[in-house]
Amino acid sequence: MAEMRLSQVDYVLGKDGYEMRRGTPETLRGVAHAAEVEYDDLVLRIEEGNENYRVTRDRFDTRHETVLFNGNRAGNALILKPSTTFSSALKNPGNFLETALAATLNPDAAYMYWGAYNYPSGHLRPADRTYVRQTGRYTHGDGSDQDPYRAVDSIKDVVDMFARQERVPTHFVADQEAGRLVLPIMVEIGTTRGAYLNGIDGISPRASYAKASFMEDVQSRIRRRRMGDGQPGELTPVNIKDVKHRVPTIYTGLGRIAHLPIVPLVLFPRDDAAKVNLMVAYSRHNDLDDLVDHAVYQDMSAALQGTDVPAEAEQPLITMQFNRESTQHDLEDCFRYGQLVMGSIPAGMRSPGRSVRILVGDGTWTQNTDAPYDSSRMQRLGLPDIRHHLMLAGGRALDSQIFELPALGEEAA
């Protein structure tokens, strides 16, 4: 069994607008069955990903990668995990392995990893790239009847690509700036059932998205090299080498070296430009006292208001996770941001399902890489349609009871 500890921030509607419940994060504790993955089951998912790897060219000749796992469960849920900077399946076998492990742990949901030979934001149309650089936003509009929220045209192209492949996501799991891409995709799809965003970028000036993330990633790599083989699915050098051996569709030719340190910087220079442009744009549009010009505030407001949330939905549409030991974010700014975003929801659209929640974990941002089993559990807490069997609120440890998360799509017993 494994004990997990998180803090949860909920927002309640008071006479003066949304406020944090009791003003402090609420402790969640629970005991869950230790996740166990049979190596052979993981291998089946890896081999399935190899068979379902696709490269699609859009009309601007950008090559998009998609890798599908548990494809026969897409009718239950299709969870999209977008690429982060300097990633994609080609450039990061670790992301391939992470997604394969999540699919093995959650066999009743389909998972799709999406990336591009250049990071997705780098494929934007020239006009959209200029707009993002100038505003930090991937959406237009202010949410009014005269100027409703809408996604930039390049995001519409991406959603059209998913539709042509008959792979339109129902849920999202994303890290850092990839979470920024999720928000306009939610606007364009309009029927998303839930999104789990870990360490989303651009919230406040007191954040450090370049230096802190680089240092935490380096420290994570050092730790994982000391782990030996690790459990099946953990991102150790041994397991990543095994993935490369079992996925000849990707990791041959250029794929043998495209992920090595420094090499992506040379092979994919548009990644460098995209990262710099995003950091500059976010740093110019993250003032929590100027919400009209706050990029991720506007994009998240667009996602909340642009999604058709069923009236009976009870879980928050968007869950954001931040970790205490990470130096990338200022938690107080994150809590305030959540409150401000909740306040952006028009009175006639307010409901438990059209809302945000913040989960605060221990560890650094790279905990999702260092502890993929725990990360998978936390992700499932943030996705609607999943019963909360793992944790109960109120700060009470569940020492005498054991709870097991059902697979996504299963009904609770």
Side-chain angles (χ1 to χ4, degrees):
M1 294 183 293
E3 184 179 35
M4 294 182 62
R5 297 171 182 265
L6 287 171
S7 296
Q8 176 174 300
V9 179
D10 283 321
Y11 299 93
V12 295
L13 183 61
K15 62 179 181 179
D16 297 322
Y18 279 97
E19 302 173 350
M20 275 181 57
R21 180 176 293 162
R22 289 190 291 277
T24 57
E26 182 177 33
T27 300
L28 300 179
R29 290 190 179 91
V31 180
H33 284 301
E36 294 182 1
V37 170
E38 295 292 336
Y39 177 72
D40 290 344
D41 292 337
L42 178 62
V43 167
L44 289 176
R45 298 286 73 76
I46 292 173
E47 292 176 345
E48 180 190 18
N50 179 63
E51 294 172 2
N52 290 330
Y53 175 74
R54 295 183 184 177
V55 176
T56 304
R57 292 180 182 269
D58 64 21
R59 52 185 174 153
F60 295 98
D61 205 36
T62 299
R63 294 172 291 182
H64 296 261
E65 297 176 303
T66 56
V67 188
L68 186 66
F69 305 89
N70 296 340
N72 61 342
R73 292 293 185 264
N76 291 348
L78 176 56
I79 302 172
L80 178 69
K81 180 178 174 62
S83 166
T84 51
T85 308
F86 307 121
S87 290
S88 74
L90 174 73
K91 292 177 281 184
N92 193 341
N95 279 342
F96 185 103
L97 179 56
E98 278 186 306
T99 314
L101 176 63
T104 308
L105 288 165
N106 303 307
D108 277 356
Y111 279 76
M112 183 167 69
Y113 184 74
W114 164 58
Y117 278 34
N118 291 104
Y119 174 63
S121 67
H123 88 278
L124 298 175
R125 298 178 183 181
D128 289 341
R129 192 177 304 121
T130 299
Y131 175 76
V132 172
R133 183 171 62 250
Q134 292 175 344
T135 68
R137 293 180 56 181
Y138 292 95
T139 63
H140 295 280
D142 59 12
S144 66
D145 292 338
Q146 296 73 28
D147 192 13
Y149 287 121
R150 59 200 183 279
V152 297
D153 289 340
S154 300
I155 294 298
K156 296 178 181 179
D157 290 341
V158 171
V159 175
D160 286 344
M161 178 186 69
F162 293 151
R164 289 195 302 272
Q165 296 182 359
E166 297 184 346
R167 295 178 177 179
V168 177
T170 61
H171 299 76
F172 295 89
V173 170
D175 298 319
Q176 282 192 304
E177 72 267 37
R180 296 297 304 274
L181 289 174
V182 164
L183 300 174
I185 294 175
M186 290 175 64
V187 174
E188 185 61 24
I189 291 176
T191 56
T192 299
R193 287 150 55 185
Y196 182 90
L197 310 179
N198 175 33
I200 190 168
D201 283 351
I203 287 180
S204 75
R206 292 192 284 183
S208 173
Y209 303 119
K211 179 181 177 180
S213 61
F214 174 78
M215 294 303 299
E216 290 179 23
D217 181 65
V218 170
Q219 293 164 3
S220 171
R221 291 173 182 268
I222 294 173
R223 287 193 296 268
R224 285 182 279 124
R225 287 186 177 278
R226 295 171 177 169
M227 289 173 60
D229 292 352
Q231 299 183 64
E234 289 189 317
L235 270 63
T236 63
V238 172
N239 289 339
I240 290 177
K241 182 178 180 180
D242 186 48
V243 166
K244 292 166 59 180
H245 171 71
R246 296 183 181 279
V247 189
T249 302
I250 306 175
Y251 304 114
T252 56
L254 178 64
R256 290 182 179 274
I257 63 171
H259 63 283
L260 298 177
I262 307 301
V263 173
L265 301 179
V266 177
L267 291 179
F268 308 100
R270 283 177 60 189
D271 277 355
D272 309 342
K275 182 70 171 181
V276 171
N277 285 337
L278 289 176
M279 294 303 99
V280 171
Y282 295 166
S283 66
R284 291 176 177 173
H285 303 281
N286 59 7
D287 184 355
L288 289 169
D289 292 321
D290 182 11
L291 296 181
V292 172
D293 194 46
H294 195 289
V296 69
Y297 167 86
Q298 294 291 347
D299 281 357
M300 190 164 290
S301 297
L304 288 168
Q305 296 178 37
T307 301
D308 184 16
V309 179
E312 66 276 10
E314 297 180 355
Q315 296 187 49
L317 180 64
I318 298 175
T319 294
M320 297 179 286
Q321 183 193 337
F322 306 98
N323 291 336
R324 295 187 185 282
E325 294 178 22
S326 176
T327 58
Q328 293 192 51
H329 294 274
D330 181 277
L331 287 180
E332 292 302 321
D333 284 346
C334 295
F335 300 156
R336 182 187 175 202
Y337 168 77
Q339 182 173 328
L340 292 169
V341 168
M342 289 291 290
S344 74
I345 303 172
M349 301 179 70
R350 291 170 182 167
S351 69
R354 195 187 304 277
S355 60
V356 301
R357 170 181 53 185
I358 295 178
L359 294 179
V360 181
D362 296 328
T364 64
W365 173 77
T366 52
Q367 185 181 28
N368 65 317
T369 298
D370 291 345
Y373 288 84
D374 286 348
S375 176
S376 179
R377 293 192 188 102
M378 288 186 282
Q379 289 172 7
R380 295 174 68 186
L381 283 172
L383 296 175
D385 303 332
I386 305 172
R387 304 289 182 175
H388 284 204
H389 278 215
L390 177 63
M391 299 180 183
L392 295 181
R396 178 171 60 89
L398 309 177
D399 296 325
S400 61
Q401 302 181 59
I402 298 175
F403 291 81
E404 183 175 14
L405 281 168
L408 183 59
E410 275 188 7
E411 288 296 322

